[in-house]
Amino acid sequence: QVIGTEARGVYNNGQAEGLTFWAPNINVFRDPRWGRGQETPGEDPTMTGKYAAVFVRGVQGYAISGAINSSDLEASACCKHFTAYDLENWKGVTRFAFDAKVTEQDLADTYNPPFKSCVEDGGASGIMCSYNRVNGVPTCADHNLLSKTARGDWSFNGYITSDCDAVAIIHDVQGYAKAPEDAVADVLKAGMDVNCGGYIQTHGVSAYQQGKITGEDIDRALRNLFAIRMRLGLFNGNPKYNRYGNIRADQVCKKEHQDLALQAAQDGIVLLKNDAGALPLSKSKVSSVAVIGPNGNNASLLLGNYFGPPCISVTPFQALQGYVKDATFVQGCNAAVCNVSNIGEAVHAASSADYVVLFMGLDQNQEREEVDRLELGLPGMQESLVNKVADAAKKPVILVLLCGGPVDVTFAKNNPKIGAIVWAGYPGQAGGIAIAQVLFGEHNPGGRLPVTWYPKEFTAVPMTDMRMRADPSTGYPGRTYRFYKGKTVYNFGYGLSYSKYSHRFASEGTKPPSMSGIEGLKATASAAGTVSYDVEEMGAEACDRLRFPAVVRVQNHGPMDGRHPVLLFLRWPNATDGRPASQLIGFQSVHLRADEAAHVEFEVSPCKHFSRAAEDGRKVIDQGSHFVKVGDDEFELSFMA
């Protein structure tokens, strides 16, 4: 909502040419090396789909739920990159040339659900097709993807744009189109409306003259584009007199918005290790602190990629100076790449201070658009710097990681001289302040990891292998918490707090329906003998009857107040027939005072939450047991038609 409001404020002040935002990036964070994973909400399709819907609703000016306004847009959101896009440049394989081999099963339950949610639940006014091919066909030239699936199955009503120069590469790089005019025809016939770049401008006239496109192809694209511009009010005269005309420049960077930036940074911080109560620090007991590391005193490193000018600029070191008068900073490394270091100076500073906080991790030279990582450890001499500083320090040190993708910090996890590990991601303009507040106990961390943290050995898995499910016969381990069958550094959903929480299902309020007796259903058996039922054949009425509430009692056992995410999972008795090991089906956050308890209610829809994708992409519910789980508590439901 703030993005949409500030966009209007900038536009109404004459400082923007338009109101079309090519965000959010909702590709599933499939591979830990992906340079643009930092832009996404994580590896889970359920969470990513929810994020997509509420992001779009906020930007476009809708309420968080309920009816979608089909006429006026505050700003236009565009869900990208459709679809199966999550490789930049890995060992010479570029996103422009990459042909992603993807099964119908993986498309149905991993790659496409966030886009479906973006359209159906969010009402997105834009979609961006990606650079890559999927099973041989460039996504921007795929009629089944753009017209049949998005516009047909999901009732998408908006414009479809290419990624920049994606039309050109269909001919110039991929060789899919034999002539430039064929590339123009391929994308317009598929249902793409807007070419980011000049390729259609250059070759569109000749494509028309050669009869490869028609006037109707052009008119359709123009209708889809100009309909969005009309919904934005761009032809309604002076914007000051339009629906959103009262949003002025003073809405940008106003206090409420900056407070929200701070809250977002606080809520995104994940406490990964906290041995012997190393955190929080006591303001009255810390007489001196050494801040060490390449990410400790550079505010721009907090922002990640694709950012506007921040309202404030405060480094972690500057924020910590507000808590400890005797604070010193030593860079230790020339940058995150850490190919030049001054470990001796860092060791001296560490041995002289009461406490040590290390700010390590990655930066935009290691991960960004057009750059994937080759390794999962900390770059260069960072690990050596951390270990030597920890050995020299008087007390166990605190390691803060600034990075978008996961890193293997097993060495720090197992080192008793490293008392705490904090992951802050790229936390934005207020990140330095939020980190300091967490370290000194002014904010109780409650964030959970949105991605699996894999060990260094995972780099043996080709980034080009798009399969989600493990293949034991070849040793392929699978991907994400749903299918990965290997060792982890930290699991999806992991995160500590300064408080202790408990969860259990409340018998009062949790009312599972009878899962038997749905008439007229035809059962089918898989090759493995699993009996299942087609969700589409069940119909909306039967699916609605099966919905039920699951109520979770959550208690904060102290000693601090805190915000706590409650994660609801489904698991099956086994992971055969391509089932995930487990699947997130709901998540809510609740703020609890110390010793306070509360009830959190989830609506469980068996058709949505108990179903899995069959090999042909159909959603089916397996006959037999399904377990709904929160924390260590679970209950069983048996589905029998």
Side-chain angles (χ1 to χ4, degrees):
Q1 288 173 330
V2 167
I3 293 169
T5 298
E6 293 203 352
R8 273 285 169 176
V10 171
Y11 176 79
N12 290 347
N13 201 48
Q15 292 179 279
E17 293 184 1
L19 288 159
T20 306
F21 284 73
W22 284 353
N25 181 342
I26 55 168
N27 295 114
V28 167
F29 198 167
R30 171 192 66 102
D31 190 288
R33 294 162 285 191
W34 184 30
R36 298 186 76 176
Q38 61 180 294
E39 300 174 31
T40 77
E43 71 181 35
D44 180 76
T46 298
M47 182 186 71
T48 303
K50 181 68 173 177
Y51 169 92
V54 297
F55 188 110
V56 167
R57 283 175 170 271
V59 168
Q60 296 190 169
Y62 311 148
I64 199 165
S65 61
I68 291 170
N69 176 0
S70 62
S71 56
D72 294 334
L73 293 169
E74 185 171 13
S76 173
C78 175
C79 288
K80 64 183 190 184
H81 312 80
F82 192 40
T83 185
Y85 170 83
D86 51 17
L87 178 146
E88 300 300 305
N89 186 342
W90 179 78
K91 294 187 176 181
V93 179
T94 72
R95 55 186 178 164
F96 307 124
F98 181 50
D99 185 8
K101 303 296 186 184
V102 186
T103 66
E104 290 296 324
Q105 191 174 36
D106 286 339
L107 276 175
D109 77 354
T110 298
Y111 295 112
N112 282 354
F115 292 94
K116 185 174 189 286
S117 177
C118 179
V119 171
E120 293 186 342
D121 302 327
S125 53
I127 289 175
M128 177 186 287
C129 47
S130 55
Y131 288 119
N132 55 291
R133 287 166 286 168
V134 174
N135 300 325
V137 182
T139 63
C140 294
D142 191 335
H143 183 272
N144 283 331
L145 189 66
L146 305 186
S147 293
K148 185 175 180 295
T149 300
R151 293 202 186 279
D153 296 344
W154 303 342
S155 301
F156 172 65
N157 181 26
Y159 75 95
I160 298 175
T161 180
S162 75
D163 206 337
C164 294
D165 293 325
V167 179
I169 70 168
I170 291 173
H171 170 261
D172 299 349
V173 177
Q174 297 169 351
Y176 180 83
K178 300 306 178 189
E181 291 80 8
D182 293 325
V184 171
D186 287 341
V187 296
L188 288 176
K189 297 289 186 185
M192 196 200 80
D193 305 306
V194 181
N195 169 210
C196 175
Y199 209 71
I200 290 182
Q201 287 176 291
T202 302
H203 302 289
V205 171
S206 54
Y208 178 79
Q209 290 170 341
Q210 294 172 23
K212 292 179 177 178
I213 60 172
T214 66
E216 176 51 35
D217 295 326
I218 299 167
D219 288 345
R220 184 219 70 236
L222 290 172
R223 281 194 296 269
N224 289 331
L225 170 60
F226 277 85
I228 298 305
R229 297 187 69 186
M230 289 173 182
R231 290 174 66 189
L232 287 166
L234 301 187
F235 304 107
N236 292 356
N238 190 330
K240 293 179 181 177
Y241 304 116
N242 293 340
R243 175 174 175 176
Y244 299 105
N246 63 340
I247 300 174
R248 300 181 302 274
D250 60 7
Q251 293 284 297
V252 180
C253 288
K254 73 176 186 177
K255 184 179 183 302
E256 293 90 334
H257 296 178
Q258 294 201 52
D259 289 346
L260 183 63
L262 176 59
Q263 182 190 335
Q266 291 169 339
D267 291 347
I269 290 171
V270 184
L271 180 62
L272 296 174
K273 177 182 179 180
N274 194 23
D275 287 356
L279 291 177
L281 301 174
S282 169
K283 202 171 181 179
S284 61
K285 294 180 181 177
V286 179
S287 58
S288 62
V289 63
V291 175
I292 297 170
N295 290 347
N297 200 26
N298 185 335
S300 67
L301 296 178
L302 301 170
L303 304 178
N305 67 349
Y306 282 112
F307 54 84
C311 307
I312 61 169
S313 185
V314 180
T315 72
F317 174 60
Q318 288 169 338
L320 288 169
Q321 284 180 303
Y323 291 81
V324 186
K325 287 184 179 179
D326 185 2
T328 58
F329 171 70
V330 175
Q331 191 172 3
C333 287
N334 57 327
V337 67
C338 202
N339 55 11
V340 177
S341 68
N342 191 341
I343 293 177
E345 185 185 2
V347 165
H348 176 72
S351 63
S352 306
D354 197 11
Y355 286 86
V356 176
V357 184
L358 287 144
F359 285 88
M360 313 302 283
L362 307 174
D363 63 20
Q364 298 307 300
N365 291 313
Q366 275 71 51
E367 51 176 357
R368 67 174 191 274
E369 186 168 359
E370 297 189 336
V371 175
D372 295 315
R373 285 186 288 158
L374 296 176
E375 304 296 335
L376 290 178
L378 290 173
M381 291 179 275
Q382 280 197 44
E383 186 172 325
S384 177
L385 173 64
V386 171
N387 283 330
K388 288 180 179 178
V389 165
D391 285 342
K394 298 175 183 176
K395 299 181 177 68
V397 301
I398 297 152
L399 174 61
V400 179
L401 299 169
L402 292 174
C403 48
V407 287
D408 183 349
V409 287
T410 302
F411 80 95
K413 182 179 177 182
N414 296 334
N415 187 344
K417 294 188 175 181
I418 299 173
I421 304 174
V422 175
W423 179 62
Y426 293 120
Q429 69 167 41
I433 299 167
I435 291 166
Q437 290 177 339
V438 166
L439 297 185
F440 280 90
E442 292 181 3
H443 179 80
N444 189 355
R448 304 293 191 89
L449 287 181
V451 290
T452 301
W453 284 35
Y454 301 86
K456 293 177 182 178
E457 299 76 49
F458 190 84
T459 54
V461 178
M463 197 171 172
T464 49
D465 195 324
M466 300 294 289
R467 291 176 296 168
M468 298 303 300
R469 289 156 174 81
D471 182 359
S473 66
T474 61
Y476 181 68
R479 295 177 182 274
T480 77
Y481 80 96
R482 298 163 65 227
F483 301 109
Y484 176 62
K485 295 184 182 299
K487 293 180 180 178
T488 62
V489 180
Y490 290 108
N491 294 330
F492 171 87
Y494 179 80
L496 303 174
S497 169
Y498 297 150
S499 291
K500 298 295 183 185
Y501 294 91
S502 63
H503 319 77
R504 64 174 173 82
F505 287 105
S507 54
E508 197 170 319
T510 301
K511 298 176 181 176
S514 169
M515 300 294 286
S516 61
I518 299 176
E519 298 177 2
L521 274 188
K522 296 177 183 176
T524 58
S526 71
T530 301
V531 177
S532 59
Y533 305 91
D534 191 297
V535 170
E536 192 172 332
E537 287 183 6
M538 290 174 63
E541 186 179 336
C543 286
D544 284 342
R545 287 205 310 270
L546 291 175
R547 294 174 185 265
F548 68 93
V551 179
V552 178
R553 184 184 187 275
V554 191
Q555 184 167 1
N556 178 353
H557 297 279
M560 293 176 64
D561 300 353
R563 169 190 171 274
H564 183 63
V566 183
L567 309 183
L568 190 70
F569 288 90
L570 178 79
R571 74 168 184 89
W572 287 267
N574 56 61
T576 58
D577 276 303
R579 299 188 194 99
S582 65
Q583 170 65 60
L584 183 71
I585 62 174
F587 56 97
Q588 294 184 45
S589 286
V590 58
H591 190 277
L592 296 172
R593 297 185 300 275
D595 297 322
E596 183 184 9
H599 288 84
V600 178
E601 182 173 323
F602 295 89
E603 183 184 72
V604 180
S605 170
C607 287
K608 181 179 180 181
H609 298 135
F610 290 14
S611 61
R612 63 173 176 86
E615 287 188 4
D616 60 4
R618 290 178 305 113
K619 287 299 182 75
V620 299
I621 300 180
D622 292 333
Q623 189 178 92
S625 294
H626 301 73
F627 296 87
V628 181
K629 181 174 182 177
V630 62
D632 295 324
D633 194 19
E634 66 180 17
F635 64 87
E636 179 181 3
L637 287 171
S638 183
F639 189 90
M640 301 291 289

